[in-house]
Amino acid sequence: MPYCPKCQYEFKGTVTKCLDCGTELVEQLPTKQDIYVKWISLGKINSSVYAEMIREAMKNKGIESYSHSDLFHDVFSTTATSQAGSYEEIFVPEDKKELAKDIFDTMIQEDGEKE
Ligand SMILES: [Zn+2]
């Protein structure tokens, strides 16, 4: 039976592409680790604390995420305690992009209004 590797749906008959997402079907369902996730960047935030808050909010909505920081670069190029110029870049799975972007934008805006 063909399966969609992305949705993990099983299809019957002569279907070759997932009716849901259009992905080419495979003969065997991959194990969870094999599922290909395309990570995309939501944007950069110049506060790691704030990046954590956004990631937490996304996690509450069931969105996995990870963030990449350039803090090491700044540790070596500026004084040890300064984080000026550093940022966290947040990545989410592409299929969750729109929901994640909503959360991201909402939190950025809330921050702007408070400051
Ligand atoms: Zn699918």
Side-chain angles (χ1 to χ4, degrees), residues 4 6-7 18 20-23:
C4 172
K6 208 169 162 189
C7 313
C18 177
D20 211 50
C21 68
T23 302

Side-chain angles (χ1 to χ4, degrees), residues 31 33 37 49 70 88 104 107:
T31 59
Q33 291 89 334
V37 178
V49 175
D70 75 343
E88 293 273 338
F104 185 90
M107 293 195 70

Side-chain angles (χ1 to χ4, degrees), residues 47-70:
S47 158
S48 59
V49 175
Y50 208 65
E52 275 306 310
M53 283 171 58
I54 291 173
R55 290 187 60 208
E56 190 66 31
M58 294 194 297
K59 192 177 152 196
N60 290 339
K61 299 278 183 183
I63 304 172
E64 286 179 83
S65 65
Y66 75 88
S67 64
H68 171 80
S69 166
D70 75 343

Side-chain angles (χ1 to χ4, degrees), residues 22 38 42 44 48 56 59 63 71 78 81 92 99-100 103:
K38 187 178 182 190
L42 267 190
K44 292 171 183 176
S48 59
E56 190 66 31
K59 192 177 152 196
I63 304 172
L71 194 59
T78 63
T81 53
V92 296
L99 186 57
I103 297 167

Side-chain angles (χ1 to χ4, degrees), residues 14-102:
T14 55
V15 187
T16 57
K17 282 188 178 176
C18 177
L19 302 177
D20 211 50
C21 68
T23 302
E24 294 272 350
L25 300 182
V26 295
E27 278 304 310
Q28 288 207 317
L29 196 60
T31 59
K32 205 147 183 131
Q33 291 89 334
D34 290 340
I35 296 171
Y36 177 69
V37 178
K38 187 178 182 190
W39 295 88
I40 59 139
S41 169
L42 267 190
K44 292 171 183 176
I45 298 171
N46 57 10
S47 158
S48 59
V49 175
Y50 208 65
E52 275 306 310
M53 283 171 58
I54 291 173
R55 290 187 60 208
E56 190 66 31
M58 294 194 297
K59 192 177 152 196
N60 290 339
K61 299 278 183 183
I63 304 172
E64 286 179 83
S65 65
Y66 75 88
S67 64
H68 171 80
S69 166
D70 75 343
L71 194 59
F72 282 120
H73 172 75
D74 281 79
V75 166
F76 292 118
S77 63
T78 63
T79 55
T81 53
S82 170
Q83 290 187 18
S86 72
Y87 63 82
E88 293 273 338
E89 187 166 14
I90 299 180
F91 293 85
V92 296
E94 191 177 32
D95 59 347
K96 300 276 173 55
K97 179 177 68 179
E98 276 166 37
L99 186 57
K101 187 76 180 158
D102 274 355

